[in-house]
Amino acid sequence: MKIERIDEKTVKCFLSNEELEEYEIDYKDFVMRSEKAREVVQEIIEQAAAEVGYTPPKFAFDLQIMMVADQGLVLTFSDKDPDLNDSNQLIECLKEMKRILQKTREATEQIPSQKQEETQAAASRPEEAVFVFSNLSNVMDYAAALPGNLRIESVLYEWEGLYYLHLQKGHAAYERYSRACIQAMEFSALYAAEESRILQLKEHGSCLIPEKAVRKLRG
């Protein structure tokens, strides 16, 4: 378990696949806030307090769950701060998505320089991501919260009792797409932002709404 202090109100914890197996837990437990997940979260908080001096908020904190392909999970604990502006949230969300894309960027090292620069520039602004929701009601609440004129592309999948919303930038401005991703984190967890995991979802998941899922769920 690797714990990192980001700032006064935020810590991150990396749990490897081996540790997840040891705890007999996976990302679904955290998404669905199971009793087992609560116990692990409490243990992490206690360890963060001892190792990096983290003081959890008295009332509530935000927990973000992110899968790191073939490695494990990153859990981010942050104090809810109503004064945090959208631009800071946007930066943090993009940073996390870019971390997941690290392997993709490393794979471009053998590409000729000009093409490599173009590929890396595109990777630094990911234009698709998948978010996992614990139930369909949360997906519908998220869809209802988005602007009606948002021109993103979206597909809804179901896999092992969870719901996966694949968002793509489409014809939306990148800033509006990014804000939609940030808003999704209020209702769900980021599942993937790299092609291999998205292909895995397409292969194993059941496609419930193949296009314009957000618009159709909004009603």
Side-chain angles (χ1 to χ4, degrees), residues 8 17 27 54 65 68 95 117 119 136 142 144 147 172 186 189 197 210 218-219:
E8 183 180 351
N17 285 332
Y27 75 95
Y54 174 61
I65 312 106
V68 181
K95 282 181 180 178
E117 291 176 3
T119 303
L136 187 58
Y142 167 63
E186 299 178 11
R197 295 199 63 81
R218 185 185 296 118

PDB file of all heavy atoms in Angstrom, residues 8 17 27 54 65 68 95 117 119 136 142 144 147 172 186 189 197 210 218-219:
ATOM      1  N   GLU A   8      -2.894  19.601   1.759  1.00  0.00           N
ATOM      2  CA  GLU A   8      -3.409  19.556   3.127  1.00  0.00           C
ATOM      3  C   GLU A   8      -4.685  18.741   3.234  1.00  0.00           C
ATOM      4  O   GLU A   8      -4.945  18.108   4.262  1.00  0.00           O
ATOM      5  CB  GLU A   8      -3.663  20.987   3.625  1.00  0.00           C
ATOM      6  CG  GLU A   8      -4.143  21.052   5.068  1.00  0.00           C
ATOM      7  CD  GLU A   8      -4.378  22.482   5.533  1.00  0.00           C
ATOM      8  OE1 GLU A   8      -4.006  23.421   4.785  1.00  0.00           O
ATOM      9  OE2 GLU A   8      -4.922  22.656   6.629  1.00  0.00           O
ATOM     10  N   ASN A  17      -2.636  -5.050  -7.406  1.00  0.00           N
ATOM     11  CA  ASN A  17      -3.517  -6.199  -7.615  1.00  0.00           C
ATOM     12  C   ASN A  17      -3.295  -7.259  -6.542  1.00  0.00           C
ATOM     13  O   ASN A  17      -4.236  -7.917  -6.101  1.00  0.00           O
ATOM     14  CB  ASN A  17      -3.264  -6.798  -9.004  1.00  0.00           C
ATOM     15  CG  ASN A  17      -3.859  -5.947 -10.107  1.00  0.00           C
ATOM     16  OD1 ASN A  17      -4.842  -5.244  -9.904  1.00  0.00           O
ATOM     17  ND2 ASN A  17      -3.268  -5.998 -11.292  1.00  0.00           N
ATOM     18  N   TYR A  27     -12.649  -3.243  -7.386  1.00  0.00           N
ATOM     19  CA  TYR A  27     -13.190  -1.888  -7.562  1.00  0.00           C
ATOM     20  C   TYR A  27     -14.699  -1.839  -7.363  1.00  0.00           C
ATOM     21  O   TYR A  27     -15.245  -0.818  -6.935  1.00  0.00           O
ATOM     22  CB  TYR A  27     -12.816  -1.342  -8.943  1.00  0.00           C
ATOM     23  CG  TYR A  27     -13.604  -1.921 -10.090  1.00  0.00           C
ATOM     24  CD1 TYR A  27     -14.728  -1.278 -10.586  1.00  0.00           C
ATOM     25  CD2 TYR A  27     -13.227  -3.119 -10.680  1.00  0.00           C
ATOM     26  CE1 TYR A  27     -15.454  -1.817 -11.634  1.00  0.00           C
ATOM     27  CE2 TYR A  27     -13.940  -3.661 -11.721  1.00  0.00           C
ATOM     28  CZ  TYR A  27     -15.051  -3.005 -12.196  1.00  0.00           C
ATOM     29  OH  TYR A  27     -15.763  -3.537 -13.217  1.00  0.00           O
ATOM     30  N   TYR A  54      -2.048  12.764   7.702  1.00  0.00           N
ATOM     31  CA  TYR A  54      -3.350  13.145   7.145  1.00  0.00           C
ATOM     32  C   TYR A  54      -4.392  13.229   8.250  1.00  0.00           C
ATOM     33  O   TYR A  54      -4.516  12.333   9.093  1.00  0.00           O
ATOM     34  CB  TYR A  54      -3.783  12.115   6.107  1.00  0.00           C
ATOM     35  CG  TYR A  54      -5.175  12.313   5.561  1.00  0.00           C
ATOM     36  CD1 TYR A  54      -5.518  13.475   4.877  1.00  0.00           C
ATOM     37  CD2 TYR A  54      -6.154  11.332   5.713  1.00  0.00           C
ATOM     38  CE1 TYR A  54      -6.797  13.657   4.367  1.00  0.00           C
ATOM     39  CE2 TYR A  54      -7.433  11.498   5.200  1.00  0.00           C
ATOM     40  CZ  TYR A  54      -7.741  12.670   4.529  1.00  0.00           C
ATOM     41  OH  TYR A  54      -9.006  12.848   4.019  1.00  0.00           O
ATOM     42  N   ILE A  65     -12.287   6.605  -7.204  1.00  0.00           N
ATOM     43  CA  ILE A  65     -11.682   5.306  -7.462  1.00  0.00           C
ATOM     44  C   ILE A  65     -11.267   5.237  -8.926  1.00  0.00           C
ATOM     45  O   ILE A  65     -12.068   5.522  -9.810  1.00  0.00           O
ATOM     46  CB  ILE A  65     -12.671   4.151  -7.172  1.00  0.00           C
ATOM     47  CG1 ILE A  65     -13.339   4.332  -5.806  1.00  0.00           C
ATOM     48  CG2 ILE A  65     -11.977   2.808  -7.264  1.00  0.00           C
ATOM     49  CD1 ILE A  65     -14.768   4.769  -5.880  1.00  0.00           C
ATOM     50  N   VAL A  68      -5.973   1.288 -12.574  1.00  0.00           N
ATOM     51  CA  VAL A  68      -4.732   1.424 -13.329  1.00  0.00           C
ATOM     52  C   VAL A  68      -4.497   0.086 -14.007  1.00  0.00           C
ATOM     53  O   VAL A  68      -4.302  -0.933 -13.336  1.00  0.00           O
ATOM     54  CB  VAL A  68      -3.544   1.782 -12.417  1.00  0.00           C
ATOM     55  CG1 VAL A  68      -2.274   1.932 -13.231  1.00  0.00           C
ATOM     56  CG2 VAL A  68      -3.849   3.058 -11.652  1.00  0.00           C
ATOM     57  N   LYS A  95      -5.220  15.279 -15.142  1.00  0.00           N
ATOM     58  CA  LYS A  95      -3.985  14.672 -14.649  1.00  0.00           C
ATOM     59  C   LYS A  95      -4.183  13.177 -14.413  1.00  0.00           C
ATOM     60  O   LYS A  95      -3.339  12.350 -14.765  1.00  0.00           O
ATOM     61  CB  LYS A  95      -3.541  15.344 -13.348  1.00  0.00           C
ATOM     62  CG  LYS A  95      -2.856  16.693 -13.538  1.00  0.00           C
ATOM     63  CD  LYS A  95      -2.429  17.247 -12.189  1.00  0.00           C
ATOM     64  CE  LYS A  95      -1.731  18.594 -12.360  1.00  0.00           C
ATOM     65  NZ  LYS A  95      -1.348  19.167 -11.038  1.00  0.00           N
ATOM     66  N   GLU A 117       5.340  13.321 -31.682  1.00  0.00           N
ATOM     67  CA  GLU A 117       4.876  14.540 -31.026  1.00  0.00           C
ATOM     68  C   GLU A 117       3.374  14.704 -31.174  1.00  0.00           C
ATOM     69  O   GLU A 117       2.683  15.083 -30.232  1.00  0.00           O
ATOM     70  CB  GLU A 117       5.597  15.753 -31.613  1.00  0.00           C
ATOM     71  CG  GLU A 117       7.076  15.801 -31.249  1.00  0.00           C
ATOM     72  CD  GLU A 117       7.781  16.952 -31.929  1.00  0.00           C
ATOM     73  OE1 GLU A 117       7.101  17.730 -32.634  1.00  0.00           O
ATOM     74  OE2 GLU A 117       8.999  17.081 -31.778  1.00  0.00           O
ATOM     75  N   THR A 119       1.195  12.277 -31.615  1.00  0.00           N
ATOM     76  CA  THR A 119       0.530  11.258 -30.814  1.00  0.00           C
ATOM     77  C   THR A 119       0.520  11.620 -29.346  1.00  0.00           C
ATOM     78  O   THR A 119      -0.480  11.480 -28.638  1.00  0.00           O
ATOM     79  CB  THR A 119       1.232   9.893 -31.002  1.00  0.00           C
ATOM     80  OG1 THR A 119       1.237   9.573 -32.394  1.00  0.00           O
ATOM     81  CG2 THR A 119       0.509   8.795 -30.226  1.00  0.00           C
ATOM     82  N   LEU A 136     -28.445   1.961 -12.342  1.00  0.00           N
ATOM     83  CA  LEU A 136     -28.957   2.719 -13.478  1.00  0.00           C
ATOM     84  C   LEU A 136     -29.508   4.071 -13.053  1.00  0.00           C
ATOM     85  O   LEU A 136     -29.442   5.048 -13.810  1.00  0.00           O
ATOM     86  CB  LEU A 136     -30.032   1.909 -14.198  1.00  0.00           C
ATOM     87  CG  LEU A 136     -30.560   2.474 -15.520  1.00  0.00           C
ATOM     88  CD1 LEU A 136     -29.416   2.666 -16.521  1.00  0.00           C
ATOM     89  CD2 LEU A 136     -31.618   1.541 -16.109  1.00  0.00           C
ATOM     90  N   TYR A 142     -27.129  11.463 -13.516  1.00  0.00           N
ATOM     91  CA  TYR A 142     -26.004  12.148 -14.176  1.00  0.00           C
ATOM     92  C   TYR A 142     -26.441  12.739 -15.512  1.00  0.00           C
ATOM     93  O   TYR A 142     -26.152  13.901 -15.813  1.00  0.00           O
ATOM     94  CB  TYR A 142     -24.857  11.166 -14.373  1.00  0.00           C
ATOM     95  CG  TYR A 142     -23.786  11.676 -15.303  1.00  0.00           C
ATOM     96  CD1 TYR A 142     -23.046  12.819 -14.995  1.00  0.00           C
ATOM     97  CD2 TYR A 142     -23.507  11.019 -16.498  1.00  0.00           C
ATOM     98  CE1 TYR A 142     -22.070  13.299 -15.858  1.00  0.00           C
ATOM     99  CE2 TYR A 142     -22.520  11.487 -17.357  1.00  0.00           C
ATOM    100  CZ  TYR A 142     -21.809  12.623 -17.031  1.00  0.00           C
ATOM    101  OH  TYR A 142     -20.846  13.093 -17.887  1.00  0.00           O
ATOM    102  N   ALA A 144     -29.361  13.631 -16.451  1.00  0.00           N
ATOM    103  CA  ALA A 144     -30.273  14.753 -16.223  1.00  0.00           C
ATOM    104  C   ALA A 144     -29.530  16.013 -15.791  1.00  0.00           C
ATOM    105  O   ALA A 144     -30.002  17.130 -16.019  1.00  0.00           O
ATOM    106  CB  ALA A 144     -31.308  14.373 -15.170  1.00  0.00           C
ATOM    107  N   PRO A 147     -25.983  19.576 -19.481  1.00  0.00           N
ATOM    108  CA  PRO A 147     -26.696  20.522 -20.350  1.00  0.00           C
ATOM    109  C   PRO A 147     -27.356  19.797 -21.526  1.00  0.00           C
ATOM    110  O   PRO A 147     -26.777  18.846 -22.078  1.00  0.00           O
ATOM    111  CB  PRO A 147     -25.575  21.454 -20.847  1.00  0.00           C
ATOM    112  CG  PRO A 147     -24.483  21.318 -19.848  1.00  0.00           C
ATOM    113  CD  PRO A 147     -24.544  19.903 -19.359  1.00  0.00           C
ATOM    114  N   ALA A 172     -18.392  18.229 -29.197  1.00  0.00           N
ATOM    115  CA  ALA A 172     -18.384  19.199 -28.093  1.00  0.00           C
ATOM    116  C   ALA A 172     -17.017  19.868 -27.988  1.00  0.00           C
ATOM    117  O   ALA A 172     -15.992  19.296 -28.372  1.00  0.00           O
ATOM    118  CB  ALA A 172     -18.724  18.497 -26.775  1.00  0.00           C
ATOM    119  N   GLU A 186     -18.978  12.734  -9.776  1.00  0.00           N
ATOM    120  CA  GLU A 186     -19.882  12.932  -8.649  1.00  0.00           C
ATOM    121  C   GLU A 186     -20.888  11.787  -8.521  1.00  0.00           C
ATOM    122  O   GLU A 186     -21.482  11.584  -7.472  1.00  0.00           O
ATOM    123  CB  GLU A 186     -20.637  14.252  -8.811  1.00  0.00           C
ATOM    124  CG  GLU A 186     -19.734  15.481  -8.839  1.00  0.00           C
ATOM    125  CD  GLU A 186     -20.517  16.757  -9.061  1.00  0.00           C
ATOM    126  OE1 GLU A 186     -21.768  16.701  -8.983  1.00  0.00           O
ATOM    127  OE2 GLU A 186     -19.893  17.799  -9.321  1.00  0.00           O
ATOM    128  N   ALA A 189     -17.346   6.286 -10.772  1.00  0.00           N
ATOM    129  CA  ALA A 189     -15.885   6.222 -10.679  1.00  0.00           C
ATOM    130  C   ALA A 189     -15.329   6.084 -12.085  1.00  0.00           C
ATOM    131  O   ALA A 189     -15.975   5.504 -12.973  1.00  0.00           O
ATOM    132  CB  ALA A 189     -15.444   5.037  -9.826  1.00  0.00           C
ATOM    133  N   ARG A 197      -8.649  -1.167 -22.312  1.00  0.00           N
ATOM    134  CA  ARG A 197      -9.702  -1.461 -21.346  1.00  0.00           C
ATOM    135  C   ARG A 197     -11.084  -1.165 -21.929  1.00  0.00           C
ATOM    136  O   ARG A 197     -12.066  -1.818 -21.586  1.00  0.00           O
ATOM    137  CB  ARG A 197      -9.485  -0.668 -20.062  1.00  0.00           C
ATOM    138  CG  ARG A 197      -8.217  -1.062 -19.325  1.00  0.00           C
ATOM    139  CD  ARG A 197      -8.251  -0.628 -17.891  1.00  0.00           C
ATOM    140  NE  ARG A 197      -9.332  -1.298 -17.155  1.00  0.00           N
ATOM    141  CZ  ARG A 197      -9.252  -2.532 -16.666  1.00  0.00           C
ATOM    142  NH1 ARG A 197      -8.154  -3.244 -16.842  1.00  0.00           N
ATOM    143  NH2 ARG A 197     -10.260  -3.047 -16.002  1.00  0.00           N
ATOM    144  N   PRO A 210     -26.626   1.884 -27.744  1.00  0.00           N
ATOM    145  CA  PRO A 210     -25.444   1.988 -28.601  1.00  0.00           C
ATOM    146  C   PRO A 210     -25.054   3.399 -29.021  1.00  0.00           C
ATOM    147  O   PRO A 210     -23.922   3.613 -29.471  1.00  0.00           O
ATOM    148  CB  PRO A 210     -25.819   1.142 -29.820  1.00  0.00           C
ATOM    149  CG  PRO A 210     -27.319   1.217 -29.867  1.00  0.00           C
ATOM    150  CD  PRO A 210     -27.761   1.251 -28.430  1.00  0.00           C
ATOM    151  N   ARG A 218     -31.826  11.030 -20.503  1.00  0.00           N
ATOM    152  CA  ARG A 218     -32.359  12.272 -19.984  1.00  0.00           C
ATOM    153  C   ARG A 218     -33.860  12.331 -20.192  1.00  0.00           C
ATOM    154  O   ARG A 218     -34.588  12.940 -19.426  1.00  0.00           O
ATOM    155  CB  ARG A 218     -31.674  13.467 -20.659  1.00  0.00           C
ATOM    156  CG  ARG A 218     -32.088  14.810 -20.073  1.00  0.00           C
ATOM    157  CD  ARG A 218     -31.486  15.970 -20.860  1.00  0.00           C
ATOM    158  NE  ARG A 218     -30.041  15.959 -20.776  1.00  0.00           N
ATOM    159  CZ  ARG A 218     -29.236  15.811 -21.821  1.00  0.00           C
ATOM    160  NH1 ARG A 218     -29.735  15.640 -23.024  1.00  0.00           N
ATOM    161  NH2 ARG A 218     -27.924  15.844 -21.661  1.00  0.00           N
ATOM    162  N   GLY A 219     -34.318  11.681 -21.259  1.00  0.00           N
ATOM    163  CA  GLY A 219     -35.744  11.617 -21.527  1.00  0.00           C
ATOM    164  C   GLY A 219     -36.275  12.785 -22.314  1.00  0.00           C
ATOM    165  O   GLY A 219     -35.571  13.682 -22.691  1.00  0.00           O
TER     166      GLY A 219
END
